[in-house]
Amino acid sequence: MPVLVVVGAQWGDEGKGKVTDLLCEEADVVVRYQGGNNAGHTVENAYGKFALHLVPSGIFHQHVLAIIGNGVVVDPTVLRKEIDELESRGVSTANLRVSAGAHLIMPYHILLDRVYEVRLGKGKIGTTGRGIGPAYADKAARQGVRMQDVLDPHTFREQVKAFMAAKAEVLVKAYDQDVGHLEEECERYIEAAESLRPYIDDTALLLWNALRREERVLLEGAQGTMLDLDHGTYPYVTSSNPVAGYACVGSGIGPMELSEVWGVTKAYTTRVGEGPFPTELTGEEGDYLREVGQEFGTTTGRPRRCGWLDLVVLRHAARINGLTGLCLTKLDVLDGLDAIKVCTAYRYQGEEIREMPPSQAVFAKVEPVYEELPGWKTDISGITSARDLPNETIDFLNFVVRNVRVPISLISLGPRREQHIKVPHPDHVQRASDGRQA
Ligand code: IMP
């Protein structure tokens, strides 16, 4: 591995949780480098079932150092709850560290997030309502509070109160909000943040030392490339940078340290929240993907919008992240289909375009150009070797590889841990009839 970045190649929810959970076994350090508790994944293992929003899944492996990096925004009450839940069910959090540079989400951020959405009306982003945008806005405006501020309790309390008073004024005067409960809520957040003191560390230094010892590091992105603040479908994006470039900024290591970047994609596409989605299926086919794929948000429970796999999006993700490998998840969800459509290009004003248009106004109006591939109509969820996959499945995989020009490193074909295949010849998935060991 030496230093592997795992990023979402679509609009989030690609199954990164399962992929990173699998890869954790081979890692010494796992770092979450951006986002906050807008993300979430369910991990099922010997300890039971857990919904994690902030703590990296490396926490379940005692030999792994699990780091919440400086690029993450931390809701201290959520992190406290996750730690308590883990500890009460027998999972030690002694291997967890939180960067002293990580910013804190405060109750006024959550209130502002919701107020902004209401104000936007029909033009709303469809945020998770967790205060992510306002917390990152305060970070950029140099009005944020950080984990390290907790180390000086008196100043921390004063700081929070001063920021809270300023925000309360805006909330009352500009947005006509009742802020009566804000002080009490802030008190609860202060207490939760203070209880996290033992976990605060200079995580960039810990990483530096780990790299000098040639340890294996896994850098875990949340959300996905299309939700990236700079490279996604702005303004329908999150307020951080999920792309691989930010793995360095959000964890505090130099770009020359990275060795590989894997992009995680479903075998189809989903999106939550508002914004353009060219391959969206609003009829029966979309309902089929939602039901079979159980496409409901881990964080908000919202039904996800579903559609066919979009290779224009994947090529964009391959370029922006410099992908060296693809992890294709939920392949088994396509088992029951007679035919599978894959979007290879877009049509706009009669012209075919193969790459992501530079204008979001154009992206909102493009029509997908599909190629139809035959389905395999077989249950593949128990297959453990690439060469045992049906020929139609292998053709589907090779079609993706040819079009995106990134090899497939890993395939997931079911929610359970063991339901995956590591592909040994990832640039061309071999058929059993090819006669070579696949
Ligand atoms: P925010 O991150 O809560 O500000 O939400 C901004 C946009 O990103 C909305 O469309 C959310 O639905 C989307 N989003 C945020 N986190 C995730 C995630 O983990 N998976 C999928 N979509 C997400």
Side-chain angles (χ1 to χ4, degrees):
M1 149 174 324
V3 183
L4 169 65
V5 188
V6 173
V7 295
Q10 300 170 307
W11 276 279
D13 308 319
E14 299 92 348
K16 295 179 294 294
K18 177 172 171 183
V19 172
T20 49
D21 190 36
L22 283 172
L23 295 169
C24 274
E25 284 169 3
E26 295 158 29
D28 301 300
V29 187
V30 178
V31 190
R32 174 74 195 276
Y33 62 80
Q34 47 71 233
N37 58 314
N38 46 351
H41 59 258
T42 311
V43 183
E44 219 172 331
N45 55 30
Y47 294 100
K49 196 169 173 178
F50 296 83
L52 297 179
H53 299 282
L54 284 166
V55 177
S57 46
I59 199 73
F60 296 104
H61 306 265
Q62 297 304 303
H63 71 278
V64 171
L65 184 64
I67 291 178
I68 297 177
N70 57 277
V72 177
V73 284
V74 177
D75 180 322
T77 62
V78 172
L79 182 55
R80 184 69 255 169
K81 197 161 158 245
E82 278 183 26
I83 292 173
D84 290 346
E85 171 91 15
L86 287 162
E87 290 281 353
S88 72
R89 291 167 69 188
V91 185
S92 166
T93 55
N95 54 336
L96 177 69
R97 300 285 182 282
V98 186
S99 166
H103 277 245
L104 287 165
I105 295 178
M106 282 288 147
Y108 45 81
H109 293 134
I110 299 170
L111 208 51
L112 281 167
D113 193 358
R114 295 181 184 166
V115 164
Y116 290 157
E117 284 285 89
V118 173
R119 269 294 162 104
L120 284 170
K122 275 193 175 159
K124 72 176 195 286
I125 309 295
T127 73
T128 58
R130 302 296 194 260
I132 307 295
Y136 276 114
D138 271 355
K139 174 178 177 176
R142 293 151 295 174
Q143 314 232 333
V145 272
R146 292 180 293 172
M147 288 304 312
Q148 62 189 269
D149 299 326
V150 171
L151 300 174
D152 179 349
H154 178 69
T155 319
F156 176 56
R157 194 169 291 263
E158 294 300 305
Q159 248 183 331
V160 172
K161 291 204 164 155
F163 287 133
M164 184 195 68
K167 295 292 190 234
E169 206 173 331
V170 174
L171 280 159
V172 171
K173 291 193 177 149
Y175 297 105
D176 199 22
Q177 291 293 302
D178 175 10
V179 293
H181 63 293
L182 205 53
E183 193 157 349
E184 204 181 305
E185 271 291 277
C186 279
E187 197 55 47
R188 198 165 69 82
Y189 270 63
I190 289 170
E191 275 173 30
E194 285 179 348
S195 79
L196 298 172
R197 209 175 283 142
Y199 297 97
I200 303 172
D201 216 325
D202 181 345
T203 51
L205 182 61
L206 293 177
L207 264 173
W208 171 263
N209 289 330
L211 290 169
R212 300 290 76 77
R213 289 192 297 269
E214 298 191 354
E215 290 184 1
R216 296 155 303 172
V217 177
L218 177 62
L219 300 160
E220 181 187 337
Q223 290 87 41
T225 305
M226 298 302 280
L227 288 173
D228 186 274
L229 186 56
D230 288 78
H231 301 285
T233 47
Y234 190 92
Y236 301 103
V237 293
T238 192
S239 297
S240 65
N241 294 96
V243 297
Y246 198 80
C248 295
V249 179
S251 61
I253 63 173
M256 302 304 281
E257 307 277 7
L258 307 185
S259 21
E260 281 203 73
V261 182
W262 285 6
V264 186
T265 172
K266 279 178 190 161
Y268 49 97
T269 311
T270 63
R271 166 162 215 183
V272 276
E274 310 302 317
F277 179 0
T279 62
E280 181 168 16
L281 297 166
T282 49
E284 271 176 24
E285 288 165 313
D287 294 343
Y288 175 90
L289 292 173
R290 188 172 310 106
E291 288 308 316
V292 180
Q294 278 301 295
E295 297 297 350
F296 300 91
T298 322
T299 301
T300 59
R302 289 182 288 180
R304 296 177 184 142
R305 299 158 67 192
C306 298
W308 296 119
L309 184 64
D310 186 336
L311 298 180
V312 183
V313 163
L314 279 195
R315 282 197 292 272
H316 174 72
R319 266 191 299 114
I320 296 296
N321 295 293
L323 296 185
T324 60
L326 278 176
C327 304
L328 204 126
T329 65
K330 292 198 153 183
L331 190 56
D332 58 302
V333 173
L334 306 184
D335 280 358
L337 298 171
D338 292 321
I340 296 160
K341 284 190 186 162
V342 181
C343 168
T344 53
Y346 299 143
R347 186 163 293 116
Y348 178 68
Q349 294 185 338
E351 266 186 51
E352 201 168 295
I353 42 179
R354 277 188 56 80
E355 301 301 337
M356 188 62 62
S359 147
Q360 280 302 302
V362 174
F363 184 64
K365 291 194 197 118
V366 295
E367 295 285 332
V369 176
Y370 287 120
E371 195 137 333
E372 194 169 290
L373 306 179
W376 43 90
K377 301 283 282 178
T378 316
D379 176 4
I380 59 166
S381 62
I383 295 178
T384 52
S385 161
R387 70 195 315 258
D388 296 333
L389 290 167
N391 284 344
E392 292 83 357
T393 317
I394 293 178
D395 289 344
F396 172 82
L397 295 172
N398 285 330
F399 187 84
V400 173
V401 171
R402 265 201 316 281
N403 274 273
V404 184
R405 298 208 178 140
V406 177
I408 293 182
S409 308
L410 191 96
I411 302 164
S412 168
L413 8 75
R416 292 196 313 276
R417 220 158 184 279
E418 63 276 14
Q419 289 177 298
H420 72 274
I421 300 173
K422 285 189 179 146
V423 183
H425 300 291
D427 49 344
H428 180 76
V429 184
Q430 307 274 335
R431 291 169 181 234
S433 57
D434 288 349
R436 297 211 338 242
Q437 188 64 30

mmCIF file of all heavy atoms in Angstrom, residues 401-430:
data_model
loop_
_atom_site.group_PDB
_atom_site.id
_atom_site.type_symbol
_atom_site.label_atom_id
_atom_site.label_comp_id
_atom_site.label_asym_id
_atom_site.label_seq_id
_atom_site.Cartn_x
_atom_site.Cartn_y
_atom_site.Cartn_z
ATOM 1 N N VAL A 401 -13.370 -0.536 -17.714
ATOM 2 C CA VAL A 401 -11.908 -0.333 -17.719
ATOM 3 C C VAL A 401 -11.473 0.355 -19.018
ATOM 4 O O VAL A 401 -10.705 1.323 -18.997
ATOM 5 C CB VAL A 401 -11.166 -1.688 -17.558
ATOM 6 C CG1 VAL A 401 -9.667 -1.523 -17.776
ATOM 7 C CG2 VAL A 401 -11.430 -2.269 -16.177
ATOM 8 N N ARG A 402 -12.006 -0.126 -20.159
ATOM 9 C CA ARG A 402 -11.620 0.443 -21.465
ATOM 10 C C ARG A 402 -12.013 1.910 -21.556
ATOM 11 O O ARG A 402 -11.282 2.731 -22.081
ATOM 12 C CB ARG A 402 -12.329 -0.316 -22.583
ATOM 13 C CG ARG A 402 -11.517 -1.435 -23.200
ATOM 14 C CD ARG A 402 -12.017 -1.821 -24.579
ATOM 15 N NE ARG A 402 -13.458 -1.935 -24.714
ATOM 16 C CZ ARG A 402 -14.178 -2.988 -24.317
ATOM 17 N NH1 ARG A 402 -13.584 -4.016 -23.764
ATOM 18 N NH2 ARG A 402 -15.484 -3.008 -24.489
ATOM 19 N N ASN A 403 -13.199 2.240 -21.035
ATOM 20 C CA ASN A 403 -13.706 3.605 -21.168
ATOM 21 C C ASN A 403 -13.111 4.591 -20.180
ATOM 22 O O ASN A 403 -13.028 5.780 -20.451
ATOM 23 C CB ASN A 403 -15.223 3.603 -21.014
ATOM 24 C CG ASN A 403 -15.911 3.320 -22.325
ATOM 25 O OD1 ASN A 403 -16.171 4.230 -23.095
ATOM 26 N ND2 ASN A 403 -16.153 2.046 -22.596
ATOM 27 N N VAL A 404 -12.737 4.097 -19.019
ATOM 28 C CA VAL A 404 -12.213 5.018 -17.993
ATOM 29 C C VAL A 404 -10.684 4.989 -17.987
ATOM 30 O O VAL A 404 -10.036 5.914 -17.520
ATOM 31 C CB VAL A 404 -12.791 4.652 -16.590
ATOM 32 C CG1 VAL A 404 -12.360 5.640 -15.520
ATOM 33 C CG2 VAL A 404 -14.308 4.604 -16.632
ATOM 34 N N ARG A 405 -10.145 3.936 -18.540
ATOM 35 C CA ARG A 405 -8.691 3.744 -18.611
ATOM 36 C C ARG A 405 -8.036 3.712 -17.235
ATOM 37 O O ARG A 405 -6.956 4.267 -17.022
ATOM 38 C CB ARG A 405 -8.043 4.830 -19.473
ATOM 39 C CG ARG A 405 -8.558 4.769 -20.881
ATOM 40 C CD ARG A 405 -7.537 5.287 -21.842
ATOM 41 N NE ARG A 405 -8.041 5.170 -23.194
ATOM 42 C CZ ARG A 405 -7.881 6.052 -24.126
ATOM 43 N NH1 ARG A 405 -7.191 7.142 -23.873
ATOM 44 N NH2 ARG A 405 -8.349 5.861 -25.329
ATOM 45 N N VAL A 406 -8.759 3.095 -16.311
ATOM 46 C CA VAL A 406 -8.194 2.849 -14.980
ATOM 47 C C VAL A 406 -8.499 1.389 -14.650
ATOM 48 O O VAL A 406 -9.632 0.936 -14.847
ATOM 49 C CB VAL A 406 -8.828 3.779 -13.912
ATOM 50 C CG1 VAL A 406 -8.276 3.467 -12.530
ATOM 51 C CG2 VAL A 406 -8.588 5.244 -14.252
ATOM 52 N N PRO A 407 -7.514 0.637 -14.184
ATOM 53 C CA PRO A 407 -7.770 -0.765 -13.864
ATOM 54 C C PRO A 407 -8.692 -0.945 -12.662
ATOM 55 O O PRO A 407 -8.741 -0.083 -11.781
ATOM 56 C CB PRO A 407 -6.372 -1.325 -13.545
ATOM 57 C CG PRO A 407 -5.529 -0.149 -13.250
ATOM 58 C CD PRO A 407 -6.105 1.021 -13.982
ATOM 59 N N ILE A 408 -9.421 -2.065 -12.657
ATOM 60 C CA ILE A 408 -10.278 -2.374 -11.505
ATOM 61 C C ILE A 408 -9.464 -3.212 -10.520
ATOM 62 O O ILE A 408 -8.963 -4.286 -10.857
ATOM 63 C CB ILE A 408 -11.545 -3.140 -11.940
ATOM 64 C CG1 ILE A 408 -12.433 -2.219 -12.785
ATOM 65 C CG2 ILE A 408 -12.312 -3.651 -10.721
ATOM 66 C CD1 ILE A 408 -13.733 -2.837 -13.249
ATOM 67 N N SER A 409 -9.312 -2.699 -9.303
ATOM 68 C CA SER A 409 -8.503 -3.390 -8.302
ATOM 69 C C SER A 409 -9.347 -4.276 -7.392
ATOM 70 O O SER A 409 -8.874 -5.271 -6.874
ATOM 71 C CB SER A 409 -7.772 -2.376 -7.424
ATOM 72 O OG SER A 409 -7.081 -1.461 -8.240
ATOM 73 N N LEU A 410 -10.598 -3.853 -7.189
ATOM 74 C CA LEU A 410 -11.441 -4.548 -6.211
ATOM 75 C C LEU A 410 -12.898 -4.499 -6.666
ATOM 76 O O LEU A 410 -13.351 -3.479 -7.190
ATOM 77 C CB LEU A 410 -11.300 -3.826 -4.865
ATOM 78 C CG LEU A 410 -11.869 -4.517 -3.667
ATOM 79 C CD1 LEU A 410 -10.774 -5.286 -2.938
ATOM 80 C CD2 LEU A 410 -12.471 -3.520 -2.695
ATOM 81 N N ILE A 411 -13.595 -5.611 -6.474
ATOM 82 C CA ILE A 411 -15.030 -5.658 -6.793
ATOM 83 C C ILE A 411 -15.757 -6.062 -5.512
ATOM 84 O O ILE A 411 -15.312 -6.968 -4.815
ATOM 85 C CB ILE A 411 -15.327 -6.734 -7.869
ATOM 86 C CG1 ILE A 411 -14.526 -6.476 -9.149
ATOM 87 C CG2 ILE A 411 -16.811 -6.786 -8.197
ATOM 88 C CD1 ILE A 411 -14.482 -7.704 -10.063
ATOM 89 N N SER A 412 -16.880 -5.383 -5.239
ATOM 90 C CA SER A 412 -17.683 -5.781 -4.083
ATOM 91 C C SER A 412 -19.022 -6.280 -4.594
ATOM 92 O O SER A 412 -19.664 -5.609 -5.411
ATOM 93 C CB SER A 412 -17.842 -4.591 -3.140
ATOM 94 O OG SER A 412 -18.825 -4.876 -2.180
ATOM 95 N N LEU A 413 -19.446 -7.450 -4.131
ATOM 96 C CA LEU A 413 -20.707 -7.994 -4.640
ATOM 97 C C LEU A 413 -21.643 -8.430 -3.532
ATOM 98 O O LEU A 413 -22.322 -9.452 -3.612
ATOM 99 C CB LEU A 413 -20.476 -9.139 -5.650
ATOM 100 C CG LEU A 413 -19.077 -9.699 -5.880
ATOM 101 C CD1 LEU A 413 -18.678 -10.554 -4.757
ATOM 102 C CD2 LEU A 413 -18.975 -10.348 -7.211
ATOM 103 N N GLY A 414 -21.694 -7.606 -2.499
ATOM 104 C CA GLY A 414 -22.636 -7.858 -1.406
ATOM 105 C C GLY A 414 -22.189 -7.073 -0.193
ATOM 106 O O GLY A 414 -21.038 -6.634 -0.121
ATOM 107 N N PRO A 415 -23.100 -6.880 0.770
ATOM 108 C CA PRO A 415 -22.748 -6.041 1.918
ATOM 109 C C PRO A 415 -21.755 -6.679 2.888
ATOM 110 O O PRO A 415 -21.054 -5.978 3.611
ATOM 111 C CB PRO A 415 -24.093 -5.802 2.609
ATOM 112 C CG PRO A 415 -24.995 -6.897 2.130
ATOM 113 C CD PRO A 415 -24.492 -7.336 0.787
ATOM 114 N N ARG A 416 -21.697 -8.011 2.910
ATOM 115 C CA ARG A 416 -20.837 -8.648 3.902
ATOM 116 C C ARG A 416 -19.367 -8.518 3.528
ATOM 117 O O ARG A 416 -19.006 -8.416 2.360
ATOM 118 C CB ARG A 416 -21.208 -10.122 4.073
ATOM 119 C CG ARG A 416 -22.589 -10.332 4.713
ATOM 120 C CD ARG A 416 -22.765 -11.742 5.218
ATOM 121 N NE ARG A 416 -22.360 -12.740 4.248
ATOM 122 C CZ ARG A 416 -23.124 -13.196 3.267
ATOM 123 N NH1 ARG A 416 -24.340 -12.728 3.116
ATOM 124 N NH2 ARG A 416 -22.675 -14.100 2.422
ATOM 125 N N ARG A 417 -18.528 -8.549 4.535
ATOM 126 C CA ARG A 417 -17.101 -8.359 4.397
ATOM 127 C C ARG A 417 -16.466 -9.292 3.365
ATOM 128 O O ARG A 417 -15.680 -8.885 2.519
ATOM 129 C CB ARG A 417 -16.481 -8.658 5.760
ATOM 130 C CG ARG A 417 -15.414 -7.756 6.132
ATOM 131 C CD ARG A 417 -15.193 -7.720 7.608
ATOM 132 N NE ARG A 417 -14.174 -6.721 7.786
ATOM 133 C CZ ARG A 417 -12.894 -6.958 7.606
ATOM 134 N NH1 ARG A 417 -12.472 -8.155 7.307
ATOM 135 N NH2 ARG A 417 -12.022 -5.980 7.737
ATOM 136 N N GLU A 418 -16.872 -10.589 3.458
ATOM 137 C CA GLU A 418 -16.234 -11.582 2.593
ATOM 138 C C GLU A 418 -16.705 -11.467 1.140
ATOM 139 O O GLU A 418 -16.105 -12.073 0.252
ATOM 140 C CB GLU A 418 -16.467 -13.002 3.135
ATOM 141 C CG GLU A 418 -17.914 -13.475 3.178
ATOM 142 C CD GLU A 418 -18.678 -13.016 4.425
ATOM 143 O OE1 GLU A 418 -18.181 -12.115 5.133
ATOM 144 O OE2 GLU A 418 -19.777 -13.537 4.676
ATOM 145 N N GLN A 419 -17.764 -10.690 0.891
ATOM 146 C CA GLN A 419 -18.296 -10.591 -0.470
ATOM 147 C C GLN A 419 -17.509 -9.578 -1.294
ATOM 148 O O GLN A 419 -17.981 -8.480 -1.591
ATOM 149 C CB GLN A 419 -19.775 -10.219 -0.426
ATOM 150 C CG GLN A 419 -20.650 -11.353 0.081
ATOM 151 C CD GLN A 419 -22.090 -10.935 0.188
ATOM 152 O OE1 GLN A 419 -22.422 -10.017 0.946
ATOM 153 N NE2 GLN A 419 -22.963 -11.580 -0.549
ATOM 154 N N HIS A 420 -16.288 -9.952 -1.632
ATOM 155 C CA HIS A 420 -15.480 -9.081 -2.479
ATOM 156 C C HIS A 420 -14.441 -9.909 -3.229
ATOM 157 O O HIS A 420 -14.138 -11.039 -2.830
ATOM 158 C CB HIS A 420 -14.780 -7.998 -1.645
ATOM 159 C CG HIS A 420 -13.658 -8.522 -0.807
ATOM 160 N ND1 HIS A 420 -13.850 -9.042 0.452
ATOM 161 C CD2 HIS A 420 -12.337 -8.630 -1.059
ATOM 162 C CE1 HIS A 420 -12.695 -9.449 0.935
ATOM 163 N NE2 HIS A 420 -11.745 -9.214 0.049
ATOM 164 N N ILE A 421 -13.930 -9.331 -4.306
ATOM 165 C CA ILE A 421 -12.894 -10.017 -5.090
ATOM 166 C C ILE A 421 -11.765 -9.021 -5.322
ATOM 167 O O ILE A 421 -11.996 -7.911 -5.805
ATOM 168 C CB ILE A 421 -13.449 -10.477 -6.466
ATOM 169 C CG1 ILE A 421 -14.629 -11.452 -6.275
ATOM 170 C CG2 ILE A 421 -12.351 -11.103 -7.314
ATOM 171 C CD1 ILE A 421 -15.339 -11.817 -7.581
ATOM 172 N N LYS A 422 -10.560 -9.414 -4.957
ATOM 173 C CA LYS A 422 -9.400 -8.583 -5.317
ATOM 174 C C LYS A 422 -8.976 -9.049 -6.708
ATOM 175 O O LYS A 422 -8.760 -10.248 -6.927
ATOM 176 C CB LYS A 422 -8.284 -8.761 -4.303
ATOM 177 C CG LYS A 422 -8.609 -8.026 -3.013
ATOM 178 C CD LYS A 422 -7.466 -7.976 -2.042
ATOM 179 C CE LYS A 422 -7.902 -7.184 -0.808
ATOM 180 N NZ LYS A 422 -7.326 -7.658 0.434
ATOM 181 N N VAL A 423 -8.918 -8.147 -7.659
ATOM 182 C CA VAL A 423 -8.681 -8.543 -9.053
ATOM 183 C C VAL A 423 -7.178 -8.617 -9.319
ATOM 184 O O VAL A 423 -6.477 -7.610 -9.216
ATOM 185 C CB VAL A 423 -9.360 -7.550 -10.019
ATOM 186 C CG1 VAL A 423 -9.191 -7.996 -11.467
ATOM 187 C CG2 VAL A 423 -10.844 -7.433 -9.685
ATOM 188 N N PRO A 424 -6.683 -9.806 -9.677
ATOM 189 C CA PRO A 424 -5.229 -9.938 -9.841
ATOM 190 C C PRO A 424 -4.665 -9.337 -11.127
ATOM 191 O O PRO A 424 -3.527 -8.908 -11.160
ATOM 192 C CB PRO A 424 -4.998 -11.455 -9.819
ATOM 193 C CG PRO A 424 -6.326 -12.103 -9.913
ATOM 194 C CD PRO A 424 -7.394 -11.066 -9.842
ATOM 195 N N HIS A 425 -5.451 -9.312 -12.233
ATOM 196 C CA HIS A 425 -4.978 -8.679 -13.475
ATOM 197 C C HIS A 425 -5.925 -7.533 -13.773
ATOM 198 O O HIS A 425 -6.774 -7.628 -14.653
ATOM 199 C CB HIS A 425 -4.984 -9.675 -14.637
ATOM 200 C CG HIS A 425 -4.113 -10.852 -14.401
ATOM 201 N ND1 HIS A 425 -2.745 -10.762 -14.362
ATOM 202 C CD2 HIS A 425 -4.424 -12.149 -14.180
ATOM 203 C CE1 HIS A 425 -2.244 -11.964 -14.129
ATOM 204 N NE2 HIS A 425 -3.238 -12.819 -14.008
ATOM 205 N N PRO A 426 -5.821 -6.441 -13.014
ATOM 206 C CA PRO A 426 -6.901 -5.468 -13.018
ATOM 207 C C PRO A 426 -7.103 -4.709 -14.329
ATOM 208 O O PRO A 426 -8.163 -4.154 -14.554
ATOM 209 C CB PRO A 426 -6.521 -4.513 -11.892
ATOM 210 C CG PRO A 426 -5.096 -4.744 -11.594
ATOM 211 C CD PRO A 426 -4.739 -6.097 -12.096
ATOM 212 N N ASP A 427 -6.095 -4.679 -15.220
ATOM 213 C CA ASP A 427 -6.278 -3.899 -16.439
ATOM 214 C C ASP A 427 -7.112 -4.647 -17.478
ATOM 215 O O ASP A 427 -7.522 -4.103 -18.475
ATOM 216 C CB ASP A 427 -4.932 -3.465 -17.033
ATOM 217 C CG ASP A 427 -3.969 -4.619 -17.124
ATOM 218 O OD1 ASP A 427 -4.228 -5.645 -16.472
ATOM 219 O OD2 ASP A 427 -2.977 -4.483 -17.841
ATOM 220 N N HIS A 428 -7.333 -5.936 -17.244
ATOM 221 C CA HIS A 428 -8.231 -6.672 -18.125
ATOM 222 C C HIS A 428 -8.704 -7.892 -17.337
ATOM 223 O O HIS A 428 -7.924 -8.792 -17.051
ATOM 224 C CB HIS A 428 -7.519 -7.107 -19.405
ATOM 225 C CG HIS A 428 -8.422 -7.872 -20.321
ATOM 226 N ND1 HIS A 428 -9.385 -7.255 -21.073
ATOM 227 C CD2 HIS A 428 -8.552 -9.192 -20.553
ATOM 228 C CE1 HIS A 428 -10.045 -8.177 -21.761
ATOM 229 N NE2 HIS A 428 -9.568 -9.358 -21.456
ATOM 230 N N VAL A 429 -9.981 -7.896 -16.966
ATOM 231 C CA VAL A 429 -10.476 -9.015 -16.171
ATOM 232 C C VAL A 429 -10.597 -10.225 -17.096
ATOM 233 O O VAL A 429 -11.240 -10.171 -18.138
ATOM 234 C CB VAL A 429 -11.846 -8.674 -15.536
ATOM 235 C CG1 VAL A 429 -12.302 -9.810 -14.637
ATOM 236 C CG2 VAL A 429 -11.758 -7.370 -14.760
ATOM 237 N N GLN A 430 -9.915 -11.305 -16.721
ATOM 238 C CA GLN A 430 -9.852 -12.487 -17.591
ATOM 239 C C GLN A 430 -11.114 -13.327 -17.468
ATOM 240 O O GLN A 430 -11.676 -13.477 -16.389
ATOM 241 C CB GLN A 430 -8.671 -13.369 -17.163
ATOM 242 C CG GLN A 430 -7.354 -12.643 -17.075
ATOM 243 C CD GLN A 430 -6.652 -12.604 -18.419
ATOM 244 O OE1 GLN A 430 -6.876 -13.455 -19.260
ATOM 245 N NE2 GLN A 430 -5.821 -11.607 -18.610
#
